[in-house]
Amino acid sequence: MMETNQTEILFFKVFRNVIIRKEIFKHLKFSYEIKGNEFKSCVKNYQEIVSSEWLIENNHLALLKLKIKNGERVLFPNDRNPHNNIFNINKNNNNNDNDNKFDKSFYCNLFKNYPNYFQDINLNNTLDMVSKFDNYLALEILIDNYGLIMDKYQFLKFIENSAFKCAFLAHKHFNFNLDPIQLWNIIDQIQMFHFMSTSRYNNSDVILEFIKFLFSINIPPLPDLSVLSQNKKPFIQSFFYDIYQSKLKYIIDSLKIINLLNDQFQSFINNLLKDNNNNQTKEIKLKFNYYSILKENNPNNNDNNNNNNNNNNNNNNNNNNNNNNNNNNYLIKNINTLLLSTIFSEKELEMYIYDFEKDNKIIQQIYQFLLLFLNDSYFINNHHFYQAKFENNFTNYNSGNENESIFKMFQFGIFNPMESMNDLNAQSLFKYCKNDFKLQENFIRQSINDFLTKKPDDSLNNNDYIKMYGNFTYMVLNKSKTLLKSLLECGHCPLNLIDIVFQEVLKENPTLYIFPNESYKFINSIERFDYFFPKMDIYDFSQNIFLMKESLSGDLISHLKNNYKDQFKFFKRITLSKSNVYSYSVLNFLFKNYGYIRNRKTKFQLLFEMACIVNKLVPNQPIETLLCYDFVLFNHVTTISKFKAIDWIYSNYKFDGEWFFSSASHCSKNENYKEISILIEFLKCKKDLTKIKMFFRQFKQQDDLSDLSLIFQIVGAIGNIDYLEIIMKCFFPTIQSSIESKVYVYQLLRESVENGHLRVFQYLFKNYPFIFKTTKSKQTTTTQNPYKKFKTSDISKLIHLSIQRGDIEMYNFLTNNIKFYKLHKKDILTTTNNNCLLNHIKNNKK
């Protein structure tokens, strides 16, 4: 006890020191995560937090559990982002802290405290989410605590959605009469569902889990799978994907599927060989060739052949056919077992097949083996890839038929002068030889040799650059930049290979700057910057730094300042005098160090745009686009966004007060200046209620409170009851008070509905019920409506807004307390958020 008290005493001794306390808060204040061009604010007032989606997105999971346990007000938006869905938390939560794990007790509290959202009429929606994310914990609560009864249809739906844990739980609790043929036929729906939800063609992992699930509930593989579909083909007669574009881990799953359903795949191979004997299609003949290669290379093949030969001498023709089939079966099983016995690292399992080196024999054999089981529609492209990758065979590429192959030779690191350098696709260069650096080096040297020895085109127009450099040098400059751009953008070419371009080209042309401007964004490390910077034009660098990776550019400026002092002086002079667009990190550095201002924009305008970026207040806008806005942006963001943006500026940029007001006053939209200035005054005292009271009292004698319009909206948007109480006591203590300014109370209420702050309405109904006394009159004259009461249509609009927001508690509270309201069919609008509320309304009307 004494030790604890001593610790507390030491803490307060430190914390009472104003200088130390300010230093601590200086480091805590900037509560934003920065990831590339993604910024997100992670701090909110406790009372402001009502969205489960926001809590999950910002990883406040312990707080979410506490709110759910206490039955506090929480909104549950529909799954616009599946990662933030309340039934998908454990799958995306990598935190090992038990406080952040979501067990059965969490879902027990969820269903108990929020039945309007998850039970009764909305139970089907809940089951859809449970199925979508295979949340067996939530399903077990519904079965054990709420007596959920499921039919066979729901069980099959679980399987179709690959929710095998839920399906197993349902099978355990309910006695379904299962038809094996019907279950095996579900494979088509599983593949379609998984492709639609993941856009991944190779879903062998899901099919494998499906097969394991059927075995776990004692559904055996059928002896003859050909009876499963109308066209009499087996349920898995072949695979529908590109081998070369699949990750190795999914390819291994395909091998496991063949192993589990060995008899069925053996039958498929026997039919394949029979078809070849009957001179069938080109695909079948090529598959037979691959089968022959596998048979020849099989280490146990000779012994097995000898045994078969002895058997063939002692049996009739029919037995010969059976022995051939047995031989084929033995071969397939033996090869598959051999391939599955190979141990791969975690890194290799995550690699795509095309990422492996061409001399990797085990990958080559896996490829040959799976080619046998590919659907004919996928076979030819995979066959061409095999020829190019493993056999260096580009016959199909030189046939003159452009449709003969979908591949390019530069994808495999093979230089072909017929493939123009201008046609190089940076995303495809070396795509299929990422780890074959010898191939890459040969390609680079051959490319350079080709354009250094090529005669220039004299027919080119004599522009200024050609006149300056001459035709040949100009051609070398362009070709070098094109090659460098492709090498940099492909992302997997090492620096020592890229350096070959500089060495070879600058050997004869040492004064050329061949670094391509478009490639600044691909400098993704300080190491790469140090390597390339001496080869850059400092002027081009200053103009293009905004293209660099957001999380790196600020560090680069600091690095430039500390290690390249002369170049930094030039960079600063250019940057401070130009009006180019820069990244957030660069602008932040310049503001912090130089009070940066640029042409055509005031400091306040630029900072407002930066604040919008940090807080994600203008969604789906890249930084470079957002920073090109005029100040009209101020009029296009929400009230709460204005508050957050200006609060962020005021909190993070402690410049001399004069610039803040003077720059705001020069906004391109001058009408904003007054409300900005008032908002800044409000922010100065927002944490001190005494100062807040003084702030509002200075407006008390005014008949028109329009200057406070934005402040009223902000109070509604943040739902602060302390501020609301001051406003009501100061301006609206009775129905006769501030009659002309009642409209601003309505704006406050609208913002409260928009942001889900039910407590605002609860407070006003309890303490100022006259606010909700309405008039049906459409007249706004003093005679007809002397106290400027809200019209019934105004309050109805608030209820309509709560419907659009899907806020069940807000809707219930308003409709229960506002008796005149009648819901009409035209008022019911379906949005992305209100499925649960609409079901709730329909259920109550019955």
Side-chain angles (χ1 to χ4, degrees):
M1 191 65 160
M2 287 297 295
E3 184 180 344
T4 303
N5 290 339
Q6 184 65 23
T7 303
E8 290 179 359
I9 290 170
L10 289 173
F11 169 79
F12 284 109
K13 276 186 177 180
V14 172
F15 207 70
R16 283 177 184 143
N17 186 306
V18 176
I19 296 174
I20 295 177
R21 188 169 71 240
K22 283 186 177 180
E23 184 65 22
I24 292 172
F25 281 128
K26 186 174 83 173
H27 293 286
L28 295 177
K29 177 179 57 185
F30 193 79
S31 303
Y32 303 94
E33 291 181 8
I34 303 177
K35 296 180 180 179
N37 282 6
E38 288 288 322
F39 296 79
K40 55 185 180 182
S41 171
C42 299
V43 175
K44 281 193 177 188
N45 180 283
Y46 181 87
Q47 295 296 327
E48 189 183 345
I49 301 171
V50 293
S51 171
S52 63
E53 186 178 49
W54 185 91
L55 286 164
I56 297 168
E57 181 180 6
N58 292 286
N59 206 34
H60 297 303
L61 302 182
L63 180 57
L64 175 62
K65 289 179 72 174
L66 180 64
K67 282 179 169 283
I68 297 297
K69 181 179 180 180
N70 295 337
E72 297 179 36
R73 176 153 167 75
V74 178
L75 294 179
F76 303 94
N78 282 15
D79 61 325
R80 291 167 295 179
N81 182 351
H83 293 285
N84 298 332
N85 190 286
I86 203 158
F87 291 103
N88 195 33
I89 302 174
N90 281 334
K91 279 189 177 180
N92 298 302
N93 178 22
N94 296 320
N95 194 329
N96 293 321
D97 186 352
N98 288 331
D99 287 341
N100 287 331
K101 290 299 180 184
F102 285 70
D103 53 17
K104 288 199 290 186
S105 64
F106 170 80
Y107 291 105
C108 185
N109 291 327
L110 182 73
F111 297 141
K112 178 180 71 175
N113 294 330
Y114 304 91
N116 286 336
Y117 286 95
F118 301 109
Q119 291 203 69
D120 304 325
I121 194 66
N122 281 311
L123 180 60
N124 286 336
N125 284 346
T126 301
L127 288 175
D128 285 344
M129 291 298 102
V130 165
S131 176
K132 182 174 182 178
F133 301 114
D134 199 10
N135 193 320
Y136 69 96
L137 293 176
L139 181 63
E140 193 165 8
I141 292 297
L142 290 172
I143 293 173
D144 292 345
N145 293 20
Y146 296 95
L148 174 67
I149 302 295
M150 281 190 297
D151 56 16
K152 183 178 174 181
Y153 169 80
Q154 182 63 59
F155 170 75
L156 295 176
K157 191 172 181 180
F158 283 148
I159 299 177
E160 290 172 11
N161 290 355
S162 307
F164 299 122
K165 291 178 182 177
C166 287
F168 186 85
L169 186 65
H171 179 266
K172 176 182 173 183
H173 280 82
F174 304 100
N175 186 23
F176 299 120
N177 183 21
L178 301 176
D179 177 5
I181 292 180
Q182 182 184 15
L183 288 176
W184 282 104
N185 251 331
I186 293 176
I187 193 67
D188 289 334
Q189 291 96 310
I190 291 177
Q191 293 189 82
M192 181 56 64
F193 171 82
H194 197 71
F195 171 70
M196 295 298 290
S197 60
T198 65
S199 298
R200 176 159 57 82
Y201 284 96
N202 188 341
N203 47 28
S204 297
D205 55 330
V206 182
I207 299 174
L208 180 62
E209 288 303 310
F210 167 71
I211 295 170
K212 288 180 178 179
F213 166 72
L214 291 186
F215 288 175
S216 73
I217 61 172
N218 300 317
I219 301 295
L222 300 177
D224 183 7
L225 294 181
S226 63
V227 303
L228 291 182
S229 53
Q230 293 179 357
N231 58 7
K232 303 301 180 185
K233 290 184 179 179
F235 102 100
I236 293 184
Q237 66 161 343
S238 52
F239 294 113
F240 292 78
Y241 58 73
D242 288 323
I243 300 173
Y244 62 92
Q245 295 198 90
S246 300
K247 286 187 176 181
L248 177 60
K249 63 181 181 181
Y250 301 130
I251 293 299
I252 297 299
D253 286 337
S254 295
L255 299 178
K256 291 177 181 178
I257 290 171
I258 295 172
N259 190 53
L260 285 174
L261 300 177
N262 185 66
D263 292 341
Q264 288 72 36
F265 280 99
Q266 301 287 9
S267 175
F268 175 72
I269 291 297
N270 292 336
N271 289 333
L272 169 71
L273 299 177
K274 188 186 301 181
D275 286 339
N276 182 68
N277 293 332
N278 295 331
N279 295 318
Q280 291 293 318
T281 64
K282 173 184 176 181
E283 287 80 5
I284 290 178
K285 289 184 177 181
L286 288 171
K287 285 183 180 181
F288 182 77
N289 290 338
Y290 283 111
Y291 176 81
S292 300
I293 294 172
L294 287 166
K295 188 174 181 180
E296 181 179 342
N297 293 331
N298 179 30
N300 297 315
N301 191 44
N302 291 334
D303 293 339
N304 194 57
N305 277 340
N306 290 333
N307 292 332
N308 284 327
N309 287 333
N310 291 332
N311 289 332
N312 288 340
N313 291 329
N314 299 318
N315 293 305
N316 56 29
N317 290 335
N318 187 49
N319 285 335
N320 284 340
N321 291 332
N322 289 334
N323 284 330
N324 284 332
N325 286 341
N326 289 335
N327 182 31
N328 297 332
N329 294 350
Y330 175 83
L331 176 66
I332 295 304
K333 187 172 184 178
N334 183 58
I335 293 174
N336 198 28
T337 302
L338 177 67
L339 296 178
L340 284 173
S341 67
T342 306
I343 298 175
F344 296 98
S345 67
E346 288 296 321
K347 181 180 178 181
E348 288 175 321
L349 290 172
E350 290 295 330
M351 288 173 62
Y352 290 92
I353 295 300
Y354 60 64
D355 284 337
F356 286 91
E357 297 173 349
K358 66 186 299 177
D359 58 355
N360 191 314
K361 296 304 180 184
I362 191 67
I363 295 298
Q364 184 176 357
Q365 193 170 18
I366 288 174
Y367 204 117
Q368 292 170 344
F369 184 67
L370 283 181
L371 277 169
L372 301 178
F373 303 102
L374 279 189
N375 182 271
D376 287 352
S377 61
Y378 283 83
F379 179 81
I380 290 299
N381 283 339
N382 283 275
H383 164 67
H384 285 169
F385 179 92
Y386 178 88
Q387 286 185 306
K389 176 79 173 180
F390 298 108
E391 297 182 350
N392 220 29
N393 182 349
F394 292 91
T395 305
N396 293 305
Y397 299 75
N398 300 320
S399 64
N401 184 354
E402 292 183 359
N403 296 322
E404 194 71 31
S405 176
I406 63 171
F407 303 109
K408 298 292 183 183
M409 294 178 72
F410 62 74
Q411 294 176 313
F412 299 89
I414 306 300
F415 177 74
N416 181 0
M418 301 302 293
E419 291 178 344
S420 170
M421 188 171 294
N422 292 327
D423 295 332
L424 283 184
N425 183 337
Q427 300 304 315
S428 295
L429 180 63
F430 303 153
K431 181 175 181 179
Y432 303 131
C433 63
K434 290 180 181 179
N435 297 308
D436 285 310
F437 299 120
K438 191 63 181 176
L439 282 174
Q440 296 179 22
E441 180 180 351
N442 290 338
F443 179 92
I444 292 170
R445 292 191 181 280
Q446 290 175 21
S447 298
I448 296 171
N449 183 67
D450 181 67
F451 66 71
L452 286 181
T453 58
K454 186 174 288 186
K455 185 178 179 180
D457 187 356
D458 293 328
S459 65
L460 291 172
N461 293 326
N462 283 327
N463 59 36
D464 291 339
Y465 286 100
I466 293 179
K467 291 176 182 177
M468 181 187 305
Y469 293 115
N471 272 5
F472 178 75
T473 306
Y474 178 71
M475 180 195 71
V476 170
L477 180 67
N478 275 345
K479 299 285 188 182
S480 302
K481 284 191 172 185
T482 300
L483 179 58
L484 274 174
K485 181 175 181 290
S486 298
L487 292 174
L488 286 165
E489 292 184 21
C490 77
H492 42 258
C493 190
L495 285 176
N496 65 309
L497 297 185
I498 295 175
D499 194 47
I500 294 172
V501 183
F502 290 101
Q503 291 174 3
E504 296 299 319
V505 173
L506 299 183
K507 186 164 44 179
E508 301 296 330
N509 305 273
T511 60
L512 286 182
Y513 285 107
I514 61 174
F515 189 86
N517 291 348
E518 305 93 323
S519 297
Y520 280 92
K521 58 185 173 182
F522 297 102
I523 296 179
N524 53 14
S525 68
I526 296 292
E527 177 195 10
R528 283 205 160 203
F529 173 79
D530 284 335
Y531 172 77
F532 287 116
F533 187 65
K535 302 172 175 62
M536 296 176 187
D537 183 319
I538 185 64
Y539 184 84
D540 287 342
F541 169 77
S542 302
Q543 300 297 299
N544 292 287
I545 188 174
F546 74 93
L547 293 174
M548 289 187 180
K549 190 176 179 182
E550 173 60 38
S551 59
L552 180 68
S553 54
D555 293 336
L556 281 181
I557 303 303
S558 299
H559 182 70
L560 185 69
K561 179 183 178 183
N562 296 328
N563 297 280
Y564 302 91
K565 297 188 185 312
D566 292 338
Q567 293 93 329
F568 179 75
K569 289 178 183 178
F570 183 78
F571 164 78
K572 187 176 70 172
R573 187 168 68 251
I574 293 175
T575 306
L576 295 177
S577 64
K578 297 292 181 180
S579 58
N580 298 67
V581 175
Y582 295 103
S583 68
Y584 166 81
S585 293
V586 174
L587 290 172
N588 186 47
F589 179 89
L590 294 171
F591 265 121
K592 295 288 188 183
N593 290 277
Y594 304 106
Y596 173 72
I597 187 170
R598 60 183 181 171
N599 295 345
R600 299 201 306 270
K601 285 200 176 186
T602 66
K603 292 178 182 179
F604 184 82
Q605 286 174 263
L606 190 56
L607 284 173
F608 185 84
E609 293 161 8
M610 290 170 65
C612 287
I613 293 170
V614 170
N615 289 279
K616 295 200 296 188
L617 304 179
V618 181
N620 304 319
Q621 288 284 359
I623 287 174
E624 54 267 27
T625 302
L626 189 55
L627 290 172
C628 288
Y629 271 89
D630 289 324
F631 198 69
V632 70
L633 176 64
F634 188 88
N635 295 324
H636 285 85
V637 296
T638 63
T639 299
I640 194 69
S641 296
K642 292 176 185 177
F643 173 68
K644 287 181 178 179
I646 297 177
D647 187 22
W648 180 86
I649 296 170
Y650 186 72
S651 300
N652 287 280
Y653 291 93
K654 295 296 185 182
F655 297 105
D656 179 84
E658 283 301 313
W659 84 264
F660 206 98
F661 292 103
S662 62
S663 62
S665 67
H666 289 93
C667 295
S668 59
K669 295 289 182 180
N670 288 326
E671 64 267 22
N672 292 319
Y673 165 62
K674 200 166 188 178
E675 65 179 348
I676 292 171
S677 300
I678 292 173
L679 179 53
I680 292 168
E681 289 294 334
F682 176 76
L683 291 171
K684 283 182 180 180
C685 51
K686 67 172 185 174
K687 293 181 180 179
D688 188 326
L689 289 181
T690 302
K691 290 183 179 179
I692 286 288
K693 290 177 183 177
M694 294 173 61
F695 168 80
F696 282 119
R697 281 172 184 162
Q698 64 181 308
F699 297 92
K700 190 170 183 180
Q701 303 305 318
Q702 295 185 14
D703 293 330
D704 182 7
L705 298 179
S706 58
D707 290 343
L708 289 177
S709 172
L710 181 60
I711 305 297
F712 278 32
Q713 293 174 53
I714 287 169
V715 170
I718 64 178
N720 190 302
I721 300 301
D722 291 330
Y723 296 168
L724 177 61
E725 185 176 16
I726 294 171
I727 287 173
M728 297 307 294
K729 286 181 178 179
C730 189
F731 302 114
F732 306 100
T734 68
I735 195 171
Q736 296 94 348
S737 307
S738 304
I739 291 173
E740 297 299 325
S741 297
K742 288 256 179 73
V743 63
Y744 305 119
V745 177
Y746 182 78
Q747 293 176 359
L748 184 152
L749 294 175
R750 183 175 177 84
E751 291 292 338
S752 296
V753 176
E754 189 73 40
N755 291 278
H757 297 307
L758 177 59
R759 61 185 179 276
V760 168
F761 288 87
Q762 291 170 333
Y763 172 82
L764 291 175
F765 265 104
K766 180 180 179 180
N767 299 285
Y768 299 92
F770 62 83
I771 289 293
F772 299 99
K773 289 184 178 180
T774 60
T775 176
K776 293 183 180 180
S777 173
K778 296 183 180 180
Q779 301 296 323
T780 57
T781 62
T782 304
T783 305
Q784 294 289 333
N785 188 9
Y787 296 126
K788 296 295 178 71
K789 296 177 182 177
F790 298 152
K791 297 191 289 292
T792 55
S793 59
D794 293 331
I795 301 299
S796 297
K797 287 176 183 177
L798 295 178
I799 299 177
H800 298 167
L801 182 58
S802 73
I803 294 174
Q804 293 175 35
R805 300 284 297 168
D807 192 337
I808 295 178
E809 287 84 5
M810 182 75 76
Y811 171 82
N812 284 344
F813 182 85
L814 293 179
T815 53
N816 289 337
N817 286 277
I818 300 174
K819 303 302 182 184
F820 66 80
Y821 180 76
K822 289 185 179 179
L823 181 67
H824 300 286
K825 192 173 182 179
K826 65 178 182 179
D827 300 329
I828 302 177
L829 299 175
T830 302
T831 68
T832 57
N833 278 330
N834 68 356
N835 286 339
C836 290
L837 173 57
L838 295 183
N839 287 334
H840 173 76
I841 291 173
K842 292 174 185 175
N843 187 53
N844 287 347
K845 289 178 70 177
K846 292 179 181 179

